[in-house]
């Protein structure tokens, strides 16, 4: 089943720029135990209501739970995070599970920032934002504050 939802484009801005339509879609395939669902497009306040109805219906139809692929999601705001947490709660209340099977980097980042990733189950850990790791490059860590290289002890 494919369920597309279109957002009505906003009026042209003062500079005459055209705002293009955005679409979110969910594809759900029934399975005997788990139901896989793939979401693509933007998850935001304009789309979350219809997306929620489709994903809740997929969860209700699932035997043991819902496997959610978010690798094709190009944008996710707080309403999308709220949707994921609500689905997780609904699954638990129905003795089912919600498993996030894949996420885009943008979804991973918003889940990391909000710390919602701690509350969800992932098939594989979501990609993390790469930060500097001095030990990984053989660099010496800075001296501790209580003892510096100038300290004669």
């Amino acid at each position: 089943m494919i369920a597309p939802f279109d957002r009505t484009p906003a009026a042209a801005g003062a500079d005459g720029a055209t705002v293009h339509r955005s679409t979110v879609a969910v594809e759900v395939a029934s399975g005997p135990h788990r139901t896989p669902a793939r979401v693509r497009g933007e998850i935001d306040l304009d789309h979350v209501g219809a997306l929620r109805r489709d994903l809740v219906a997929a969860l209700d139809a699932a035997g043991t739970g819902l496997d959610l692929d978010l690798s094709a999601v190009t944008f996710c705001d707080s309403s999308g995070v709220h949707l994921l947490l609500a689905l997780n709660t609904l699954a638990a209340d129905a003795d089912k599970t919600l498993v996030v099977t894949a996420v885009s980097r943008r979804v991973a980042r918003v889940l990391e920032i909000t710390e919602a990733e701690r509350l969800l189950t992932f098939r594989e850990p979501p990609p993390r934002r790469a930060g500097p790791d001095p030990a990984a490059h053989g660099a010496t860590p800075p001296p501790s504050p209580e003892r510096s290289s100038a300290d004669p002890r």
Side-chain angles (χ1 to χ4, degrees), residues 90-146:
L90 289 172
D93 290 348
D95 290 325
K96 297 179 183 184
T97 57
L98 172 70
V99 176
V100 180
T101 60
V103 294
S104 65
R105 286 205 174 273
R106 292 180 181 191
V107 172
R109 182 66 179 139
V110 75
L111 294 176
E112 179 184 358
I113 290 169
T114 61
E115 297 186 358
E117 68 185 3
R118 295 179 181 193
L119 302 172
L120 299 170
T121 302
F122 295 86
R123 180 167 290 155
E124 294 180 16
R128 304 291 297 187
R129 183 173 165 173
D133 181 4
H137 300 290
T140 306
S144 62
E146 60 271 6

Side-chain angles (χ1 to χ4, degrees), residues 59-60 62-65 87-97:
L59 178 63
D60 288 345
T64 60
L87 281 171
N88 197 44
T89 300
L90 289 172
D93 290 348
D95 290 325
K96 297 179 183 184
T97 57

Side-chain angles (χ1 to χ4, degrees), residues 22-23 39-43 70-76 104 106-107:
S22 174
T23 304
V39 179
R40 67 181 195 287
E42 296 181 3
I43 303 175
L70 302 172
S71 62
V73 173
T74 57
F75 177 81
C76 182
S104 65
R106 292 180 181 191
V107 172

